[in-house]
Amino acid sequence: MNFVRFAVRRVAEMAATLLGASFVVFGAMYLAPGNPASFLLSGRSASPEALAAINAQYHLDDPFFVRYLSWLGDIVQGDFGRSITYRTDVSRLLADRLPTTLLLVVMALAVVAVIGLVLGWIAAVRGGGTDSAILVGTTFAVGTPSFVAAVLLQGLVAVNLGWFPSSGSGEGFVDKVWHLTLPAIALALYLIGMLARVTRSAMVEALDSEHVTVARSRGVPESQVIRRHVFRNSLGTVLTTGGLIVSTLLVCTILVETAFSIGGVGQLLELSTTTKDFPTVQAISLIIVALFMTVNLVVDLLLPLVDLRITLGSRSSSV
């Protein structure tokens, strides 16, 4: 029952925060210089009647709070408005592009989880030269931003070696996976270093704990000590870092999608920002915020289950 109350309270807090974020997302676009009407006219002069028709179609003349409440009411019903640039429903644009972005994020997350956890595990358990080599490698990875990795991998692996496509997202699931492999690696490189170092530090700390010493003194096999006592007690820290990693992936995908011309939501956001496409930018920004909050919520709910030392609602259980 305590867990249920905690979950309900966290969901309520998330809803309230999301409501506040929606106000910020909606209002921030109208603080930016320029006007959507000027883009629609493409620099041409227009009669007062034509300008009034544009303002009426996109509700540009309505008071701010009227526009916000109308927009929020449409969002609740799944209507994100109509794109100014593409002259179509934003929901249709997102439906066409969101699967590609989600597949890219999932692929990158899989690469980060597998390689990061394995490297961190090996560095903590073996120590010595292996630990030093992994620390050097992960330091290089952490120091390489996603957009730099994207440019380097695109030039070396895609263009010079021709091992992977240099742009596009492909057609069909298998072809999409093939096209997104290199972008996923570029997106994951920095985060692999982060997860590996966090996993190593958490496991090294657990290795020095008293209960590990007791388990070894009782003759428990080393493999079980590492798996049951060391890695399991490190899961809380690893899971918290995992929440941060997912959130970072959602943001960095914009840069990688643009570099590889993938045509996902990230590239759509970049293009829509340039063209002052208010409805599209607002919809994508709100979705990113909602996904970020959802990840934090999931981490908060899972932490007390994987680490019994964490109490429900404590500060240590949040990202």
Side-chain angles (χ1 to χ4, degrees):
M1 183 60 68
N2 288 337
F3 182 81
V4 173
R5 285 199 299 267
F6 171 68
V8 171
R9 179 168 61 84
R10 287 293 290 114
V11 171
E13 291 173 354
M14 173 183 166
T17 305
L18 188 58
L19 179 62
S22 71
F23 183 82
V24 174
V25 167
F26 183 84
M29 288 303 300
Y30 288 90
L31 295 177
N35 190 298
S38 62
F39 170 77
L40 290 171
L41 293 172
S42 301
R44 298 169 296 179
S45 59
S47 65
E49 293 78 10
L51 187 60
I54 292 175
N55 289 333
Q57 180 180 357
Y58 292 97
H59 306 285
L60 299 178
D61 284 337
D62 292 343
F64 174 80
F65 282 101
V66 172
R67 294 199 305 268
Y68 169 68
L69 293 176
S70 176
W71 173 77
L72 186 62
D74 291 338
I75 292 293
V76 172
Q77 301 176 52
D79 181 6
F80 292 96
R82 188 173 178 82
S83 168
I84 296 175
T85 304
Y86 297 93
R87 313 294 176 87
T88 187
D89 291 341
V90 175
S91 299
R92 181 175 300 177
L93 289 175
L94 295 177
D96 291 339
R97 296 170 179 256
L98 191 57
T100 299
T101 297
L102 292 179
L103 179 58
L104 173 61
V105 170
V106 170
M107 290 176 61
L109 183 60
V111 173
V112 172
V114 173
I115 299 180
L117 289 176
V118 169
L119 288 179
W121 181 303
I122 293 175
V125 173
R126 293 192 177 181
T130 301
D131 183 24
S132 299
I134 291 176
L135 283 176
V136 171
T138 54
T139 299
F140 170 77
V142 169
T144 306
S146 296
F147 69 90
V148 174
V151 173
L152 292 176
L153 290 175
Q154 189 177 43
L156 177 62
V157 180
V159 176
N160 291 340
L161 299 178
W163 291 352
F164 290 96
S166 60
S167 63
S169 57
E171 298 292 337
F173 179 75
V174 175
D175 194 35
K176 278 185 176 294
V177 170
W178 179 246
H179 275 75
L180 295 180
T181 298
L182 205 59
I185 295 174
L187 190 58
L189 183 62
Y190 161 76
L191 297 170
I192 288 173
M194 177 192 296
L195 183 60
R197 294 171 74 89
V198 169
T199 302
R200 173 198 173 274
S201 297
M203 291 186 65
V204 167
E205 182 179 352
L207 280 168
D208 294 332
S209 61
E210 182 178 349
H211 69 277
V212 170
T213 303
V214 172
R216 284 171 170 166
S217 67
R218 292 178 176 176
V220 178
E222 186 66 15
S223 60
Q224 292 187 21
V225 170
I226 298 298
R227 186 175 63 255
R228 295 180 180 179
H229 299 280
V230 177
F231 183 69
R232 184 174 180 178
N233 285 337
S234 305
L235 278 179
T237 302
V238 172
L239 182 60
T240 301
T241 305
L244 177 61
I245 285 174
V246 175
S247 302
T248 304
L249 286 174
L250 294 173
V251 175
C252 291
T253 184
I254 299 172
L255 302 174
V256 174
E257 284 188 7
T258 301
F260 284 93
S261 301
I262 290 175
V265 172
Q267 188 180 29
L268 176 63
L269 177 60
E270 189 269 336
L271 294 173
S272 299
T273 302
T274 303
T275 57
K276 301 285 292 183
D277 190 348
F278 285 9
T280 305
V281 174
Q282 289 166 342
I284 296 175
S285 300
L286 189 61
I287 288 175
I288 291 176
V289 171
L291 289 174
F292 180 85
M293 292 181 180
T294 301
V295 170
N296 283 347
L297 175 64
V298 171
V299 171
D300 277 353
L301 296 179
L302 290 179
L303 271 175
L305 301 179
V306 301
D307 193 341
L308 299 179
R309 296 170 300 178
I310 296 177
T311 59
L312 292 175
S314 65
R315 288 185 178 271
S316 60
S317 67
S318 60
V319 175

